[in-house]
Amino acid sequence: MLLPVTAGINNEGRITIGGCDTGDLKSGYGTPLYIMDIATVKMQCEKYINSFAFKDFESEIIYASKAFCSLAMCQLVKQQGLSIDVSTGGELFIAIRSGFDPGKIYFHGNNKSADEINFGIDYKVGTFIVDSFEELEAVNEIAGQKECIQKIMLRITPGIKAHTHKYIQTGAIESKFGFGIQSGIALEAVKKAADLENIKLIGVHAHIGSQIFNIEVYDSLIDVMTSFMAEASKKTGASLNHLNIGGGLGIKYMPDDRPASIEDFAELVHNALLKYTKKNDIKIEKIYLEPGRSIAGNAGTTLYEAGTIKEIPQIKNYIAIDGGMSDNIRPVLYQAKYNAFIAGRASYLGEIKDGEAVGGASPAGSTSTLANFNEKKYNIVGKHCESGDVIIEDIMLPEARKGDLLLVAATGAYCYSMSSNYNGQPKSAVVAVEDGKSWVWVDRQSYEDLYMRDRKLYE
Ligand SMILES: *Cc1c(COP(=O)(O)O)cnc(C)c1O
């Protein structure tokens, strides 16, 4: 699945999502437009819940809200039976306002402020994931003032490198996150947590990175973590039997990407739990997962209108779109690759099934050349004042025209949530689609929104 599962092509040759014609979405809501397919989000949530329903271990699936956080998205994952992970007071606030049961909120962050800790405890957040000794003391002290006992997990640095972009690796020894095992600091943190009166340590957490294709690293992770849990339990008397292995499962952005399925991931985790609880002699009661990208990523697409088409003979062809790095910073930030389709003239794709173009004259993103569509190689660039504002480099598409609708796939995670007002670009709207209906999840910003909080030159 690259596009949402509901994607198709209608009789007018336009791409549809959730039964909605992208041409109608453009006329109804304008572009750039984030489109979220509810069926795909539901399907991913169900796959996680069902595949991780083990007989021998309890499990809890926690949506990592930083991937895409809005009131409606929080409500949708809640409805699907997931818990939620927040990493700042802001995300926590949105989760609370969406009606999330605070007991199902997991509060992350490597530098929570006293205000954030106060806020979390006041709102009765279920579990804090504590990242430092300073935070252990602060949570204990603030919980003490409020005469309550705060449940926590410790974020552990397992010293494992996930093979992914270095900006999204988070489990290596040199990481800014967590307490290191190898240095003995993690063990000290367990001892300290056990001594503090207003804290109840329920387990350990690790998150090793994102967009992970090689799921074997989770096998090593479970080995390292269960071995640590066994050692820490013996040496401190703490009963550590809840293990949170974070998120990170990769998704398909390009036709050749082959991410592991949620089902295979679950099987690997299950086998690893059986193997390493035995090897390391520890009982695990409950496993927690924190998927973000693999819930929201393929459910989202971004619809743009092509403006200037610029051809520099023998050098490069450009399609300039009406958005860019303000609505999708990932190509600039991580050299992330995306795939796009001409949504308004999509017959060149043949058919779209299960989110994949099949049997078309020119399979999406392929470099094959087919004369009947007069294919050309393009760079799809944004409208920002930066040469680096490129969304896609070297994509083969039928000859583009001004006014074409372009649909960029797999933008449901880390695009809206990383969007900005750079160059005074109002943030794009998010619309949800399901069963032929569409409605707004987040309104498009207006120009007024751009200076709403500005003040005048002097008081
Ligand atoms: C970002 C993050 C996740 C989610 O990662 P994905 O790659 O989007 O699944 C989960 N847990 C923590 C602590 C994170 O920081």
Side-chain angles (χ1 to χ4, degrees), residues 9-29:
I9 299 175
N10 65 13
N11 293 335
E12 284 79 51
R14 284 191 293 271
I15 296 182
T16 61
I17 300 173
C20 297
D21 182 325
T22 44
D24 295 343
L25 293 173
K26 148 90 189 160
S27 5
Y29 306 101

PDB file of all heavy atoms in Angstrom, residues 9-29:
ATOM      1  N   ILE A   9      -9.583   5.026  -9.548  1.00  0.00           N
ATOM      2  CA  ILE A   9      -9.660   5.990 -10.653  1.00  0.00           C
ATOM      3  C   ILE A   9     -11.090   5.947 -11.185  1.00  0.00           C
ATOM      4  O   ILE A   9     -11.625   4.862 -11.451  1.00  0.00           O
ATOM      5  CB  ILE A   9      -8.656   5.630 -11.770  1.00  0.00           C
ATOM      6  CG1 ILE A   9      -7.227   5.667 -11.210  1.00  0.00           C
ATOM      7  CG2 ILE A   9      -8.784   6.599 -12.957  1.00  0.00           C
ATOM      8  CD1 ILE A   9      -6.157   5.206 -12.175  1.00  0.00           C
ATOM      9  N   ASN A  10     -11.727   7.093 -11.308  1.00  0.00           N
ATOM     10  CA  ASN A  10     -13.131   7.089 -11.753  1.00  0.00           C
ATOM     11  C   ASN A  10     -13.242   7.203 -13.279  1.00  0.00           C
ATOM     12  O   ASN A  10     -12.230   7.252 -13.976  1.00  0.00           O
ATOM     13  CB  ASN A  10     -13.941   8.164 -11.014  1.00  0.00           C
ATOM     14  CG  ASN A  10     -13.488   9.578 -11.349  1.00  0.00           C
ATOM     15  OD1 ASN A  10     -12.735   9.793 -12.311  1.00  0.00           O
ATOM     16  ND2 ASN A  10     -13.944  10.538 -10.561  1.00  0.00           N
ATOM     17  N   ASN A  11     -14.477   7.231 -13.763  1.00  0.00           N
ATOM     18  CA  ASN A  11     -14.699   7.247 -15.219  1.00  0.00           C
ATOM     19  C   ASN A  11     -14.151   8.493 -15.892  1.00  0.00           C
ATOM     20  O   ASN A  11     -13.899   8.499 -17.091  1.00  0.00           O
ATOM     21  CB  ASN A  11     -16.195   7.133 -15.530  1.00  0.00           C
ATOM     22  CG  ASN A  11     -16.712   5.761 -15.132  1.00  0.00           C
ATOM     23  OD1 ASN A  11     -15.930   4.802 -15.074  1.00  0.00           O
ATOM     24  ND2 ASN A  11     -18.005   5.660 -14.831  1.00  0.00           N
ATOM     25  N   GLU A  12     -13.985   9.557 -15.127  1.00  0.00           N
ATOM     26  CA  GLU A  12     -13.410  10.784 -15.707  1.00  0.00           C
ATOM     27  C   GLU A  12     -11.887  10.738 -15.708  1.00  0.00           C
ATOM     28  O   GLU A  12     -11.239  11.719 -16.067  1.00  0.00           O
ATOM     29  CB  GLU A  12     -13.868  12.031 -14.920  1.00  0.00           C
ATOM     30  CG  GLU A  12     -15.302  12.475 -15.198  1.00  0.00           C
ATOM     31  CD  GLU A  12     -16.334  11.636 -14.445  1.00  0.00           C
ATOM     32  OE1 GLU A  12     -16.171  11.483 -13.211  1.00  0.00           O
ATOM     33  OE2 GLU A  12     -17.263  11.112 -15.076  1.00  0.00           O
ATOM     34  N   GLY A  13     -11.349   9.609 -15.244  1.00  0.00           N
ATOM     35  CA  GLY A  13      -9.892   9.492 -15.230  1.00  0.00           C
ATOM     36  C   GLY A  13      -9.229  10.225 -14.075  1.00  0.00           C
ATOM     37  O   GLY A  13      -8.048  10.529 -14.120  1.00  0.00           O
ATOM     38  N   ARG A  14     -10.014  10.530 -13.043  1.00  0.00           N
ATOM     39  CA  ARG A  14      -9.411  11.206 -11.889  1.00  0.00           C
ATOM     40  C   ARG A  14      -9.265  10.239 -10.712  1.00  0.00           C
ATOM     41  O   ARG A  14     -10.089   9.339 -10.533  1.00  0.00           O
ATOM     42  CB  ARG A  14     -10.272  12.405 -11.468  1.00  0.00           C
ATOM     43  CG  ARG A  14     -10.109  13.609 -12.403  1.00  0.00           C
ATOM     44  CD  ARG A  14     -10.753  14.847 -11.812  1.00  0.00           C
ATOM     45  NE  ARG A  14     -12.192  14.719 -11.746  1.00  0.00           N
ATOM     46  CZ  ARG A  14     -13.031  15.075 -12.725  1.00  0.00           C
ATOM     47  NH1 ARG A  14     -12.564  15.589 -13.843  1.00  0.00           N
ATOM     48  NH2 ARG A  14     -14.326  14.926 -12.574  1.00  0.00           N
ATOM     49  N   ILE A  15      -8.221  10.474  -9.929  1.00  0.00           N
ATOM     50  CA  ILE A  15      -8.022   9.646  -8.733  1.00  0.00           C
ATOM     51  C   ILE A  15      -9.091   9.988  -7.702  1.00  0.00           C
ATOM     52  O   ILE A  15      -9.418  11.164  -7.505  1.00  0.00           O
ATOM     53  CB  ILE A  15      -6.610   9.841  -8.133  1.00  0.00           C
ATOM     54  CG1 ILE A  15      -5.550   9.351  -9.133  1.00  0.00           C
ATOM     55  CG2 ILE A  15      -6.469   9.119  -6.791  1.00  0.00           C
ATOM     56  CD1 ILE A  15      -4.114   9.437  -8.640  1.00  0.00           C
ATOM     57  N   THR A  16      -9.631   8.939  -7.096  1.00  0.00           N
ATOM     58  CA  THR A  16     -10.588   9.126  -6.000  1.00  0.00           C
ATOM     59  C   THR A  16      -9.976   8.535  -4.729  1.00  0.00           C
ATOM     60  O   THR A  16      -9.200   7.586  -4.796  1.00  0.00           O
ATOM     61  CB  THR A  16     -11.917   8.389  -6.273  1.00  0.00           C
ATOM     62  OG1 THR A  16     -11.641   6.975  -6.388  1.00  0.00           O
ATOM     63  CG2 THR A  16     -12.583   8.861  -7.562  1.00  0.00           C
ATOM     64  N   ILE A  17     -10.349   9.122  -3.602  1.00  0.00           N
ATOM     65  CA  ILE A  17      -9.916   8.585  -2.305  1.00  0.00           C
ATOM     66  C   ILE A  17     -11.125   8.572  -1.389  1.00  0.00           C
ATOM     67  O   ILE A  17     -11.847   9.571  -1.298  1.00  0.00           O
ATOM     68  CB  ILE A  17      -8.788   9.427  -1.685  1.00  0.00           C
ATOM     69  CG1 ILE A  17      -7.577   9.432  -2.636  1.00  0.00           C
ATOM     70  CG2 ILE A  17      -8.367   8.865  -0.326  1.00  0.00           C
ATOM     71  CD1 ILE A  17      -6.488  10.353  -2.210  1.00  0.00           C
ATOM     72  N   GLY A  18     -11.332   7.444  -0.740  1.00  0.00           N
ATOM     73  CA  GLY A  18     -12.503   7.321   0.125  1.00  0.00           C
ATOM     74  C   GLY A  18     -13.786   7.604  -0.645  1.00  0.00           C
ATOM     75  O   GLY A  18     -14.749   8.134  -0.094  1.00  0.00           O
ATOM     76  N   GLY A  19     -13.781   7.287  -1.924  1.00  0.00           N
ATOM     77  CA  GLY A  19     -14.969   7.525  -2.752  1.00  0.00           C
ATOM     78  C   GLY A  19     -15.134   8.979  -3.184  1.00  0.00           C
ATOM     79  O   GLY A  19     -16.143   9.333  -3.789  1.00  0.00           O
ATOM     80  N   CYS A  20     -14.159   9.829  -2.883  1.00  0.00           N
ATOM     81  CA  CYS A  20     -14.271  11.249  -3.253  1.00  0.00           C
ATOM     82  C   CYS A  20     -13.320  11.565  -4.402  1.00  0.00           C
ATOM     83  O   CYS A  20     -12.143  11.206  -4.367  1.00  0.00           O
ATOM     84  CB  CYS A  20     -13.928  12.138  -2.062  1.00  0.00           C
ATOM     85  SG  CYS A  20     -15.060  11.919  -0.682  1.00  0.00           S
ATOM     86  N   ASP A  21     -13.847  12.275  -5.392  1.00  0.00           N
ATOM     87  CA  ASP A  21     -13.087  12.687  -6.569  1.00  0.00           C
ATOM     88  C   ASP A  21     -12.115  13.806  -6.158  1.00  0.00           C
ATOM     89  O   ASP A  21     -12.533  14.811  -5.568  1.00  0.00           O
ATOM     90  CB  ASP A  21     -14.117  13.193  -7.598  1.00  0.00           C
ATOM     91  CG  ASP A  21     -13.483  13.609  -8.915  1.00  0.00           C
ATOM     92  OD1 ASP A  21     -12.363  14.144  -8.911  1.00  0.00           O
ATOM     93  OD2 ASP A  21     -14.145  13.410  -9.952  1.00  0.00           O
ATOM     94  N   THR A  22     -10.844  13.629  -6.500  1.00  0.00           N
ATOM     95  CA  THR A  22      -9.860  14.654  -6.100  1.00  0.00           C
ATOM     96  C   THR A  22     -10.159  15.999  -6.772  1.00  0.00           C
ATOM     97  O   THR A  22      -9.833  17.049  -6.221  1.00  0.00           O
ATOM     98  CB  THR A  22      -8.418  14.201  -6.422  1.00  0.00           C
ATOM     99  OG1 THR A  22      -8.395  13.625  -7.742  1.00  0.00           O
ATOM    100  CG2 THR A  22      -7.914  13.179  -5.425  1.00  0.00           C
ATOM    101  N   GLY A  23     -10.808  15.951  -7.941  1.00  0.00           N
ATOM    102  CA  GLY A  23     -11.209  17.201  -8.599  1.00  0.00           C
ATOM    103  C   GLY A  23     -12.246  17.937  -7.754  1.00  0.00           C
ATOM    104  O   GLY A  23     -12.180  19.159  -7.574  1.00  0.00           O
ATOM    105  N   ASP A  24     -13.202  17.197  -7.210  1.00  0.00           N
ATOM    106  CA  ASP A  24     -14.213  17.815  -6.340  1.00  0.00           C
ATOM    107  C   ASP A  24     -13.577  18.328  -5.045  1.00  0.00           C
ATOM    108  O   ASP A  24     -13.968  19.371  -4.520  1.00  0.00           O
ATOM    109  CB  ASP A  24     -15.311  16.805  -5.961  1.00  0.00           C
ATOM    110  CG  ASP A  24     -16.118  16.357  -7.174  1.00  0.00           C
ATOM    111  OD1 ASP A  24     -16.051  17.054  -8.213  1.00  0.00           O
ATOM    112  OD2 ASP A  24     -16.793  15.309  -7.087  1.00  0.00           O
ATOM    113  N   LEU A  25     -12.619  17.576  -4.539  1.00  0.00           N
ATOM    114  CA  LEU A  25     -11.965  18.011  -3.289  1.00  0.00           C
ATOM    115  C   LEU A  25     -11.250  19.335  -3.540  1.00  0.00           C
ATOM    116  O   LEU A  25     -11.296  20.248  -2.712  1.00  0.00           O
ATOM    117  CB  LEU A  25     -10.993  16.939  -2.778  1.00  0.00           C
ATOM    118  CG  LEU A  25     -11.649  15.631  -2.316  1.00  0.00           C
ATOM    119  CD1 LEU A  25     -10.591  14.577  -1.984  1.00  0.00           C
ATOM    120  CD2 LEU A  25     -12.559  15.860  -1.102  1.00  0.00           C
ATOM    121  N   LYS A  26     -10.611  19.421  -4.709  1.00  0.00           N
ATOM    122  CA  LYS A  26      -9.932  20.681  -5.071  1.00  0.00           C
ATOM    123  C   LYS A  26     -10.951  21.822  -5.154  1.00  0.00           C
ATOM    124  O   LYS A  26     -10.729  22.904  -4.603  1.00  0.00           O
ATOM    125  CB  LYS A  26      -9.193  20.468  -6.398  1.00  0.00           C
ATOM    126  CG  LYS A  26      -9.082  21.667  -7.291  1.00  0.00           C
ATOM    127  CD  LYS A  26      -7.829  22.449  -6.988  1.00  0.00           C
ATOM    128  CE  LYS A  26      -7.839  23.768  -7.736  1.00  0.00           C
ATOM    129  NZ  LYS A  26      -6.963  24.745  -7.196  1.00  0.00           N
ATOM    130  N   SER A  27     -12.077  21.591  -5.841  1.00  0.00           N
ATOM    131  CA  SER A  27     -13.037  22.711  -5.947  1.00  0.00           C
ATOM    132  C   SER A  27     -13.677  23.024  -4.605  1.00  0.00           C
ATOM    133  O   SER A  27     -13.978  24.179  -4.323  1.00  0.00           O
ATOM    134  CB  SER A  27     -14.137  22.479  -6.995  1.00  0.00           C
ATOM    135  OG  SER A  27     -14.079  21.227  -7.567  1.00  0.00           O
ATOM    136  N   GLY A  28     -13.863  22.003  -3.771  1.00  0.00           N
ATOM    137  CA  GLY A  28     -14.527  22.242  -2.484  1.00  0.00           C
ATOM    138  C   GLY A  28     -13.632  22.889  -1.437  1.00  0.00           C
ATOM    139  O   GLY A  28     -14.095  23.691  -0.635  1.00  0.00           O
ATOM    140  N   TYR A  29     -12.367  22.522  -1.414  1.00  0.00           N
ATOM    141  CA  TYR A  29     -11.506  22.941  -0.296  1.00  0.00           C
ATOM    142  C   TYR A  29     -10.249  23.693  -0.717  1.00  0.00           C
ATOM    143  O   TYR A  29      -9.538  24.205   0.131  1.00  0.00           O
ATOM    144  CB  TYR A  29     -11.084  21.722   0.530  1.00  0.00           C
ATOM    145  CG  TYR A  29     -12.249  20.887   1.003  1.00  0.00           C
ATOM    146  CD1 TYR A  29     -12.590  19.702   0.351  1.00  0.00           C
ATOM    147  CD2 TYR A  29     -13.021  21.292   2.100  1.00  0.00           C
ATOM    148  CE1 TYR A  29     -13.668  18.934   0.777  1.00  0.00           C
ATOM    149  CE2 TYR A  29     -14.096  20.526   2.532  1.00  0.00           C
ATOM    150  CZ  TYR A  29     -14.418  19.347   1.861  1.00  0.00           C
ATOM    151  OH  TYR A  29     -15.478  18.598   2.291  1.00  0.00           O
TER     152      TYR A  29
END
